[in-house]
Amino acid sequence: MCAVDYAFQRIGGKHKGRVIYQLRNGIKRYGELRRLVTGITAKMLTQVLRELEDDELITRTVYLEVPPRVEYELTDTGRELLPFIRLLADWGKQQMEKEIIAE
Amino acid sequence: MCAVDYAFQRIGGKHKGRVIYQLRNGIKRYGELRRLVTGITAKMLTQVLRELEDDELITRTVYLEVPPRVEYELTDTGRELLPFIRLLADWGKQQMEKEIIAE
DNA sequence: CTGTATCCACGACGATACTG
DNA sequence: CAGTATCGTCGTGGATACAG
């Protein structure tokens, strides 16, 4: 398989990029992510987080408290993706601005 | 909308990344792309190329010859994505090597 | 608060046949 | 050579209700 393909499988999908992006500055809780990643449903957030965890791009830490607390954080491998996500975000931002000017 | 989201919409999907990647060194013909982007069908290649063209990431040049010749090339905007695709490819490659070692 | 379970719609994608 | 047309499948992702 091709490396580009492989990478897209691991960070592709509708929300994965944004979840990783929101974890760029460190630990976030489930509820925080749900608010930050606008438009995502609980089901999808859970699914994305599980996939990222299986891929060892994030860690999941459960605190046995009441109310329960679960924290997510990028692994080293996950952090390696940040420059790439940032580049993409910058490009996207520029393009969006161009479109606004064009209209 | 978020810039990361926006960017993913423009380069997401199963084959877009690879098509852009194959155009990294300049002009390619339809048939070349079909061979280089393994596993893609004619329909999907056409669709991807049209979308990239609409997005102004590539140009499409038709030569009225027999047999017909159609060439595709990245635009400046499209070329701006190359560092990003390369980064992604490098990361994917490293990860794939890790997996092989792990097994 | 942090999830699961179920059901379902929709669009991406593929296979195949055909065309200028 | 470079596509288009048609039909079908499959998985992603959404809505809603429920649970530890």
Side-chain angles (χ1 to χ4, degrees):
Chain A
M1 194 190 10
C2 153
V4 176
D5 240 17
Y6 173 87
F8 264 95
Q9 282 186 20
R10 285 183 69 169
I11 62 141
K14 198 170 180 181
H15 310 288
K16 256 177 192 170
R18 273 159 79 213
V19 170
I20 294 171
Y21 188 64
Q22 293 301 345
L23 288 169
R24 68 190 179 285
N25 292 324
I27 292 170
K28 287 275 181 283
R29 296 182 57 178
Y30 181 87
E32 290 183 286
L33 289 173
R34 207 162 157 187
R35 264 171 279 119
L36 290 167
V37 183
T38 53
I40 199 170
T41 59
K43 176 191 158 189
M44 288 316 300
L45 180 55
T46 301
Q47 188 178 309
V48 165
L49 289 169
R50 289 296 181 283
E51 286 176 15
L52 291 173
E53 198 194 348
D54 289 346
D55 269 354
E56 294 176 336
L57 298 179
I58 64 171
T59 56
R60 177 171 182 267
T61 310
V62 182
Y63 296 88
L64 295 176
E65 306 170 352
V66 178
R69 182 159 56 105
V70 182
E71 295 183 344
Y72 296 92
E73 188 177 16
L74 289 175
T75 62
D76 289 343
T77 305
R79 257 187 294 278
E80 286 171 22
L81 284 172
L82 283 180
F84 147 83
I85 300 272
R86 287 216 180 83
L87 211 61
L88 196 57
D90 290 347
W91 181 84
K93 213 161 141 190
Q94 278 183 22
Q95 292 310 116
M96 289 170 75
E97 282 164 8
K98 271 193 204 168
E99 277 188 20
I100 293 166
I101 295 165
E103 280 160 21
Chain B
M1 193 188 14
C2 153
V4 176
D5 239 20
Y6 173 88
F8 264 95
Q9 283 187 20
R10 285 182 70 169
I11 61 141
K14 197 171 181 181
H15 310 289
K16 256 178 193 170
R18 272 160 78 212
V19 170
I20 294 171
Y21 188 64
Q22 294 300 346
L23 289 170
R24 67 190 179 285
N25 291 324
I27 292 170
K28 287 275 179 286
R29 295 181 58 174
Y30 181 87
E32 290 182 285
L33 289 173
R34 207 162 157 187
R35 263 170 280 120
L36 291 168
V37 183
T38 53
I40 199 169
T41 58
K43 178 191 157 190
M44 287 316 299
L45 180 55
T46 302
Q47 187 179 309
V48 165
L49 289 169
R50 289 295 182 283
E51 285 176 17
L52 291 174
E53 198 194 349
D54 289 346
D55 269 354
E56 294 176 336
L57 297 180
I58 64 171
T59 55
R60 177 171 181 268
T61 311
V62 183
Y63 296 88
L64 295 176
E65 307 170 353
V66 177
R69 181 159 56 105
V70 181
E71 294 183 344
Y72 296 92
E73 188 177 15
L74 289 175
T75 62
D76 289 342
T77 305
R79 257 187 294 277
E80 286 171 22
L81 284 172
L82 284 180
F84 148 83
I85 301 271
R86 287 216 181 84
L87 211 61
L88 196 56
D90 290 346
W91 181 85
K93 214 161 143 191
Q94 278 183 22
Q95 292 309 117
M96 287 171 77
E97 282 165 7
K98 271 193 204 170
E99 277 187 21
I100 293 164
I101 295 165
E103 279 160 20

